[in-house]
Amino acid sequence: MVGLTIVVVHLILAFTAPLIAPYSPTHIEPSVRLEGPSADHLFGTDSFGRDNLSRVLYGGRVALLVSFTAAVVAVTWGGLLGILLGYLGGRVDEVVMRVIDGLLAIPSLLLIMLVILALGSGFSVLVLTLGYGYGLTVVRIARGATLAIVARDFITAARARGERSRTIVLRELMPNVLDVLLVEFAMRSSWMLLAIASLSFLGFGISPPTPDWGRMVFENSELLAIAPWGTVFPVIAISSMVIGINLASDALSKAMGLERTQEAPL
């Protein structure tokens, strides 16, 4: 409940940012550069005189939208392919899994940065690239869950009744793998959030002046000694959101009797 509450609060703040943000997140006011927290600017201002509170609120919209959308993409295509491979088995399963093993040998963040360098850092490119990179692991998880189910009697009975493969996958296998995919979605969401923050910090995220938590940390990192609030508040936002998602996904996995044994890839 604590984790879910944190996530819900972040979502509410992100969706209501246009209503509650005191200033425009891109408005530059040189006369108030690097001001500390005050009644006018609760989180202070950055080196351009932009209000940090407004940028944190709007930055959450970008981070959460990209993270959750990319997680949906990863779990959808990875889950469907994993279920299909687990059901088919044989040579097709062996060949495809060896290809996926080869792709997993490439560091995800490096591969994502190369794609962004080639195609740009637009919203659709980030979502599809992150969804592809993190969906490869989902394929393995979904395949493993399917292999544990495909040998059960009700699958054998469905085959004996002459049901089509499409029907067996959609009506018999997918509902029984759904709990694993739900936990994977929660886990991938937190990993996506860290990934987009890392990409933005390295200059591969959403292009400025659109506010983004990772970009805010990068822009204000050299001013920690004199104006730490521009870095501290987006870091708190990132860490609290990741903690909230992890707590919620841990509870979800325990409620469904699943074990979270994987660590986030570097």
Side-chain angles (χ1 to χ4, degrees):
M1 290 304 298
V2 172
L4 186 60
T5 300
I6 294 173
V7 173
V8 171
V9 168
H10 270 284
L11 290 174
I12 292 174
L13 292 176
F15 281 113
T16 60
L19 301 176
I20 63 178
Y23 303 94
S24 167
T26 58
H27 176 68
I28 295 176
E29 188 60 54
S31 62
V32 294
R33 292 174 63 249
L34 301 178
E35 280 196 356
S38 64
D40 292 329
H41 302 281
L42 294 180
F43 285 7
T45 60
D46 64 9
S47 58
F48 294 98
R50 296 174 298 191
D51 182 66
N52 286 325
L53 173 57
S54 300
R55 292 182 63 77
V56 168
L57 291 173
Y58 274 89
R61 294 167 64 88
V62 175
L64 296 178
L65 182 60
V66 173
S67 300
F68 286 131
T69 307
V72 169
V73 172
V75 171
T76 299
W77 84 264
L80 288 175
L81 180 58
I83 293 172
L84 185 61
L85 292 175
Y87 173 72
L88 293 176
R91 190 178 297 268
V92 173
D93 174 46
E94 186 70 22
V95 171
V96 175
M97 289 309 300
R98 296 295 74 78
V99 172
I100 290 177
D101 287 341
L103 293 173
L104 285 172
I106 305 173
S108 299
L109 196 59
L110 177 60
L111 179 62
I112 290 169
M113 287 191 294
L114 290 175
V115 173
I116 292 174
L117 278 175
L119 302 179
S121 58
F123 174 81
S124 58
V125 174
L126 283 172
V127 167
L128 293 177
T129 306
L130 287 168
Y132 161 75
Y134 286 89
L136 294 172
T137 307
V138 178
V139 175
R140 298 184 62 86
I141 300 297
R143 173 181 175 271
T146 302
L147 289 176
I149 296 172
V150 75
R152 294 185 180 179
D153 291 341
F154 67 91
I155 300 296
T156 304
R159 286 172 168 167
R161 291 195 302 268
E163 293 187 7
R164 296 181 179 181
S165 297
R166 176 182 175 183
T167 302
I168 295 176
V169 168
L170 294 179
R171 294 185 180 180
E172 307 290 348
L173 290 175
M174 192 171 293
N176 287 282
V177 183
L178 185 60
D179 54 350
V180 176
L181 295 181
L182 287 175
V183 174
E184 280 298 303
F185 170 77
M187 293 171 60
R188 301 299 153 182
S189 296
S190 65
W191 295 3
M192 296 290 186
L193 185 61
L194 290 173
I196 187 60
S198 301
L199 289 171
S200 297
F201 182 84
L202 296 172
F204 293 90
I206 298 294
S207 301
T210 303
D212 179 86
W213 289 340
R215 169 67 63 172
M216 289 182 67
V217 175
F218 170 75
E219 291 175 344
N220 295 282
S221 59
E222 296 182 356
L223 303 171
L224 275 172
I226 59 174
W229 40 84
T231 301
V232 169
F233 288 116
V235 167
I236 292 175
I238 295 171
S239 59
S240 62
M241 185 62 187
V242 171
I243 290 171
I245 295 176
N246 283 335
L247 287 174
S249 59
D250 279 338
L252 180 63
S253 63
K254 290 178 182 178
M256 294 182 172
L258 302 173
E259 291 292 335
R260 287 188 58 185
T261 56
Q262 283 201 326
E263 299 292 334
L266 298 177

